[in-house]
Amino acid sequence: MSYETKADLGGLPGFGRVVPEAEGELFHAAWEPRALALVLAMGATGSWNIDASRSVRETLPDYRELSYYQIWLRALEQLMQQRGQLFADEIASGEMRHAAAPVARVLRAADVQPALAKGSPTERPAPAAARFAVGQEVRMHAGKVDHHTRLPAYVQGRRGTIVRVHGAHVFADTNAQGLGEQPQWLYTVEFDEAELWGGDAPRQNLAVSVDAWESYLEAAA
């Protein structure tokens, strides 16, 4: 099982080489496109937002043992159960045994392609001026947080350089918790490999870039 398609697990040993798959190879079993369709259809109902779904996926206790679409399906089950849209006896039997819960919207077959093409833009009006600028050195937030975060653990406390400013975007951490979009400036921060992996690691002449919201950053001393 390859992990390049999952959440960022950079820096953790024991997963073996990342083996790129053939371009356009989207599915590996007949049930996987059906799982994708279910996730898209339920996401379109407005029962939760994309950040809430990512939070559930990436905090599954057996996350590392599951394949990509197993993660999607397991998270969908959990999201639906939390909202009374699915029950344990239905999962066990594979049959509908309870009345359908009402939803705000239904994604019709004819609307799938237009909906996917439209996407869900996350850019919002900036709440204030940006604190950081291209070329500025910053240090990433370090320390335990009491919720799911999009900040990769391996860059926490590390020093990097702002290489791009993207504007203000929905802050995934609060949006996932149902606390609102609370948009923040979003930056691309670039790290030298020695900063992340240490000077004794074999050099590969590469840099690692991470998109990070403003509250993840502080000015480097």
Side-chain angles (χ1 to χ4, degrees), residues 89 158 189:
D89 58 342
R158 304 298 183 176
V189 184

Side-chain angles (χ1 to χ4, degrees), residues 140 151 166 185-189 210-217:
M140 311 303 285
L151 178 63
H166 296 280
W185 285 90
L186 185 68
Y187 306 87
T188 296
V189 184
V210 170
D211 287 341
W213 279 275
E214 194 166 82
S215 61
Y216 293 169
L217 313 178

Side-chain angles (χ1 to χ4, degrees), residues 19-105:
V19 180
E21 297 180 342
E23 186 71 24
E25 189 175 338
L26 304 179
F27 304 108
H28 301 86
W31 63 268
E32 292 184 344
R34 296 169 62 191
L36 174 59
L38 286 171
V39 171
L40 292 176
M42 284 306 302
T45 67
S47 300
W48 50 79
N49 61 56
I50 189 171
D51 296 309
S53 65
R54 283 174 174 160
S55 176
V56 171
R57 287 201 298 268
E58 295 172 10
T59 55
L60 290 170
D62 51 353
Y63 177 89
R64 298 180 188 178
E65 285 71 52
L66 300 174
S67 69
Y68 184 71
Y69 283 109
Q70 285 175 333
I71 290 171
W72 280 43
L73 199 55
R74 190 71 57 82
L76 178 64
E77 292 174 352
Q78 185 169 314
L79 286 161
M80 293 180 68
Q81 285 185 282
Q82 290 171 348
R83 291 157 179 81
Q85 298 168 331
L86 181 69
F87 297 87
D89 58 342
E90 295 176 314
I91 296 173
S93 67
E95 299 176 346
M96 182 176 178
R97 296 193 171 185
H98 303 272
V103 293
R105 299 187 298 269

